Amino acid sequence: MSLIECRKLSRIYNRGAEEIRPLDQLDLRIDAGGFVALMGPSGSGKTTLLNLLAGIDRPTSGELEIGGLSLGDLSRKELADWRSEQVGYVFQLYNLVPVLTAYENVELPLLLHPISSGERHRRVSAALDVVGIADRHSHYPRQLSGGQEQRVAIARAIVTEPTLLLADEPTGDLDRESATAVMELLSRLNKEQGRTVVMVTHDAKTAQYADVLLHLEKGRLIEQEEMAS
Amino acid sequence: MAGLTSRNLAMFQGGVNMRLLPLSYATRNLGRTPSRMVLTIGGSMLVVLLVLAAGGFVTGMRKALVASGNENNTILLGVGSEESLERSEISMQAAGILAASLDGILNRAGVEGISPEIHLAMPVSLDESTDALGEGELMLVRGITHNAWIVHDEATLLTGRVGEAGRDEAVLGKLAARSLGFEPAENAIDRSIWIDGREIRVVGILTADSGVIEGEIWYPLTDLQVLSQRDAVSCVIVTRDGATPPQIAAFASRRLDLELAAIEEVDYFASLSAFYAPIRTMVLLTALLVGIGAIIGGLNSNYATFVSRIREMGTLQTLGYSRFAITISLLQESILASAVGALLACFIAIFILDGTAIRFSMGVFGLHIDTGVLAGGLLAGFLLGIAGALLPAWRCLTRPIPEALKTTI
């Protein structure tokens, strides 16, 4: 059953007289519970597609449906609500809030939800446990290594139990050992919790954790590769 | 809401997007760059202090002039000198002639409410050498008889006694004493002041409901006549008790030989207040201009701060926080800093500025920091916080989220 459907999805930017098309008439289906890696050279449209899936950018034309909901029809406020409920986003540079502790960073998305403080505490602790960083809950980002910061960022992304987990080069700023740990964590979240993961990566080793590789070039899907499990 | 689907409606009812960032986020952001926090708080404090000083100046001057007029008093002064008692000269005989000519003048325990007075601005020093150089502080010296205490019933002795003629004794107004450096004013008792080469002992301190009298030196009339080498007095002040202002005006116009003009004391101070109105406006305008300058400075400083956090703002929006929620947090941060500055300024104003003696051509008056002035200062601090943050926040938050996330500052 497909979770994401793109039909003739285009995103066009105008830079002066020049028209830039990072996504050009893209057709794509991603199944629920899948682990998809988006690959391709710089400027191929990977991050643009990820931004559209996250609801932080809007298509210029075409249809984008996620879970049967057409994102193009939502207002900015509705999109923000939808993001807080349905999307977890992992950034390449972690993007933790430096003035908040690991616990508070993970708690941040939950403050948007009408749940009790007890329930919030339970969920934050569980998320920190899942990523194996519960013992660092009171540390500030500057007191953590890159790998630990990314684990906190993943905890923040999964704490709201989103339908869709998006990751933009999640290992791009990590050493090999930390990268392996992060990828194993994302793979476990996909397999054990059934979360749909869409990840942008340049790294072939990282891409091996995915079930499906999508190769983009000049804003179009040029190859879809099923990975052997 | 009619066009919303049931899913969207549920979303609105949940109110997810109206949730704000925790206040701790704003307070901790404030401490992110300690030097910036100190500068913001210090800048806000100085601006609010200026607003409070300007407000205290205006209120103090107005209060001094309003409190100085007694509605039963009429001033008889020289024709053509209605705008300044210090320029007026009338015959010493005027007081006696008036007492003999008019009924309906206050009489208390045999002392009539008719006070002949000299008003002179003279340099006053605390030591002989300064006095010899003529470098004393210019202050209003009022030559009085005992009748002055009946006519100016707002004047009361705070401590000490009334000065006796022929003994070089004077009573200082509370503000005059503070203006000469006696803090508290009572410390001036038994100390000497020097006026025009004469050593005068302070024997009393008077108060007068914050009126201009508090900034004066009261010296026996005959002693001042000797000191200033003049026979004439500046004016005669009369307290009516049945007599009417037109009757006194009629007396003044009938006695052409005395060259008198009659003016009600409240009218005299009202005209003085009107005369100084442009000064008050200038003071307020200066405070306003400095405040506007501070807001522009705050805009720059806040923009520099916020622009360095654009990626973080993009992240918060990606998590689902609305621009409104982030704007509120940035405003909280800015208002917190300016409020701390404003509170510090209020403490300084209450404990240091309030009552500070200000020398002015009308005499000495005290800065008056009342609740209205404090409220104005706090409001200025609050507005400084809002105005300084709103535009930078709007500029930073209107960037598209993908662009904000790519920012590397």
Side-chain angles (χ1 to χ4, degrees):
Chain A
M1 181 188 153
S2 69
L3 174 71
I4 299 169
E5 279 197 41
C6 305
R7 287 185 290 275
K8 299 198 179 307
L9 192 65
S10 294
R11 181 70 175 99
I12 302 170
Y13 299 105
N14 291 309
R15 190 175 295 162
E18 191 187 2
E19 195 175 74
I20 299 165
R21 292 175 171 263
L23 279 185
D24 191 10
Q25 304 273 324
L26 180 77
D27 290 310
L28 180 69
R29 288 168 69 115
I30 295 175
D31 289 337
F35 191 146
V36 175
L38 298 175
M39 296 192 77
S42 291
S44 60
K46 308 180 297 289
T47 300
T48 303
L49 177 59
L50 203 72
N51 288 342
L52 291 173
L53 296 179
I56 59 175
D57 197 3
R58 287 174 179 281
T60 310
S61 63
E63 282 285 316
L64 171 59
E65 277 189 17
I66 298 181
L69 184 74
S70 175
L71 296 195
D73 296 339
L74 300 182
S75 68
R76 193 172 63 218
K77 184 179 180 302
E78 288 171 322
L79 263 181
D81 285 345
W82 177 81
R83 281 197 301 273
S84 80
E85 290 176 346
Q86 307 294 337
V87 178
Y89 201 111
V90 180
F91 302 91
Q92 179 182 354
L93 296 174
Y94 335 125
N95 289 15
L96 298 180
V97 178
V99 293
L100 301 180
T101 62
Y103 181 95
E104 289 163 337
N105 265 288
V106 177
E107 189 185 32
L108 209 49
L110 280 182
L111 295 173
L112 288 164
H113 295 255
I115 55 174
S116 67
S117 58
E119 173 64 9
R120 205 161 58 229
H121 176 72
R122 189 193 65 73
R123 285 214 218 170
V124 174
S125 301
L128 287 168
D129 265 341
V130 166
V131 299
I133 202 120
D135 57 330
R136 300 293 178 105
H137 68 94
S138 60
H139 286 57
Y140 286 91
R142 64 176 181 277
Q143 298 168 317
L144 301 171
S145 68
Q148 289 168 333
E149 278 196 79
Q150 194 61 296
R151 283 163 178 266
V152 175
I154 292 170
R156 180 179 65 183
I158 62 170
V159 75
T160 55
E161 297 173 1
T163 315
L164 190 56
L165 192 54
L166 304 173
D168 189 4
E169 306 220 30
T171 60
D173 206 47
L174 298 177
D175 57 51
R176 178 49 60 192
E177 193 182 337
S178 300
T180 305
V182 164
M183 286 317 300
E184 281 172 0
L185 176 60
L186 286 176
S187 179
R188 191 152 55 84
L189 290 168
N190 169 250
K191 291 193 168 51
E192 292 175 8
Q193 297 188 2
R195 306 219 177 281
T196 307
V197 180
V198 180
M199 170 183 74
V200 166
T201 184
H202 275 112
D203 182 19
K205 263 193 167 174
T206 301
Q208 284 174 354
Y209 288 88
D211 308 325
V212 177
L213 290 187
L214 299 178
H215 290 271
L216 298 179
E217 206 169 301
K218 293 181 180 172
R220 290 173 181 267
L221 180 65
I222 57 163
E223 187 186 352
Q224 182 162 342
E225 188 180 347
E226 301 285 332
M227 303 290 283
S229 55
Chain B
M1 303 284 275
L4 292 171
T5 65
S6 58
R7 189 203 59 80
N8 286 342
L9 190 60
M11 198 182 276
F12 276 103
Q13 285 168 341
V16 169
N17 210 16
M18 290 308 290
R19 303 255 168 168
L20 300 178
L21 282 154
L23 183 63
S24 60
Y25 174 68
T27 53
R28 288 188 209 172
N29 271 328
L30 197 57
R32 214 156 161 165
T33 321
S35 55
R36 177 224 162 206
M37 178 177 68
V38 169
L39 283 174
T40 309
I41 291 175
S44 158
M45 185 188 79
L46 288 175
V47 172
V48 173
L49 200 57
L50 178 79
V51 170
L52 290 170
F57 179 92
V58 169
T59 313
M61 181 189 268
R62 190 178 291 142
K63 190 172 164 57
L65 293 171
V66 168
S68 298
N70 181 332
E71 59 181 14
N72 292 320
N73 282 359
T74 304
I75 304 173
L76 288 165
L77 71 174
V79 172
S81 302
E82 290 89 340
E83 287 181 354
S84 173
L85 282 170
E86 289 170 47
R87 285 208 305 268
S88 167
E89 282 199 26
I90 61 172
S91 167
M92 179 70 183
Q93 294 173 327
I97 297 170
L98 177 70
S101 310
L102 263 181
D103 292 328
I105 291 173
L106 180 73
N107 188 306
R108 198 172 282 161
V111 182
E112 285 196 306
I114 298 178
S115 171
E117 299 179 359
I118 294 178
H119 293 228
L120 271 182
M122 302 181 85
V124 179
S125 311
L126 291 178
D127 59 75
E128 192 174 6
S129 55
T130 312
D131 182 58
L133 292 169
E135 291 177 351
E137 303 289 350
L138 205 61
M139 301 186 79
L140 191 100
V141 183
R142 189 187 290 236
I144 52 133
T145 61
H146 287 305
N147 302 47
W149 296 95
I150 292 177
V151 170
H152 303 290
D153 59 357
E154 74 274 23
T156 53
L157 270 176
L158 187 66
T159 183
R161 60 177 175 79
V162 174
E164 292 298 330
R167 296 172 61 178
D168 285 326
E169 292 175 344
V171 173
L172 295 192
K174 189 172 69 177
L175 276 178
R178 286 165 68 178
S179 157
L180 285 168
F182 297 108
E183 193 68 54
E186 289 85 340
N187 284 355
I189 296 286
D190 283 335
R191 299 285 298 273
S192 290
I193 57 173
W194 295 78
I195 303 176
D196 208 11
R198 188 177 286 264
E199 184 180 8
I200 296 165
R201 198 162 65 94
V202 178
V203 294
I205 302 293
L206 66 82
T207 63
D209 293 339
S210 303
V212 290
I213 287 173
E214 287 192 354
E216 297 176 354
I217 296 171
W218 278 20
Y219 189 50
L221 179 67
T222 48
D223 290 2
L224 188 56
Q225 280 177 315
V226 171
L227 189 65
S228 60
Q229 298 178 330
R230 60 187 274 181
D231 292 328
V233 293
S234 302
C235 62
V236 173
I237 302 179
V238 186
T239 302
R240 289 174 274 102
D241 186 17
T244 61
Q247 284 175 316
I248 297 178
F251 165 79
S253 57
R254 271 201 308 271
R255 291 303 300 255
L256 295 174
D257 56 320
L258 296 174
E259 296 182 60
L260 294 176
I263 182 170
E264 293 305 295
E265 197 176 46
V266 286
D267 293 341
Y268 175 78
F269 283 105
S271 67
L272 212 55
S273 180
F275 178 77
Y276 287 114
I279 303 283
R280 293 196 295 270
T281 307
M282 276 300 295
V283 167
L284 289 177
L285 203 61
T286 305
L288 180 71
L289 289 175
V290 172
I292 291 170
I295 286 175
I296 292 169
L299 286 173
N300 266 325
S301 154
N302 278 332
Y303 183 68
T305 305
F306 295 165
V307 88
S308 68
R309 302 210 300 252
I310 284 183
R311 187 149 62 95
E312 191 172 306
M313 294 178 202
T315 304
L316 291 171
Q317 289 183 80
T318 304
L319 295 180
Y321 283 97
S322 64
R323 287 176 179 176
F324 174 77
I326 300 169
T327 304
I328 293 293
S329 180
L330 296 175
L331 284 176
Q332 284 172 340
E333 185 182 330
S334 175
I335 290 170
L336 269 173
S338 58
V340 170
L343 282 175
L344 286 173
C346 285
F347 276 115
I348 293 172
I350 291 168
F351 293 110
I352 296 176
L353 285 189
D354 191 29
T356 301
I358 301 291
R359 254 180 248 282
F360 212 62
S361 53
M362 59 174 255
V364 180
F365 66 93
L367 288 183
H368 189 73
I369 309 292
D370 59 14
T371 49
V373 173
L374 287 175
L378 288 172
L379 183 68
F382 187 71
L383 290 177
L384 207 61
I386 291 180
L390 213 49
L391 192 61
W394 179 77
R395 282 207 64 185
C396 292
L397 281 167
T398 47
R399 293 197 189 193
I401 301 174
E403 193 183 304
L405 290 172
K406 275 194 268 182
T407 310
T408 52
I409 295 172

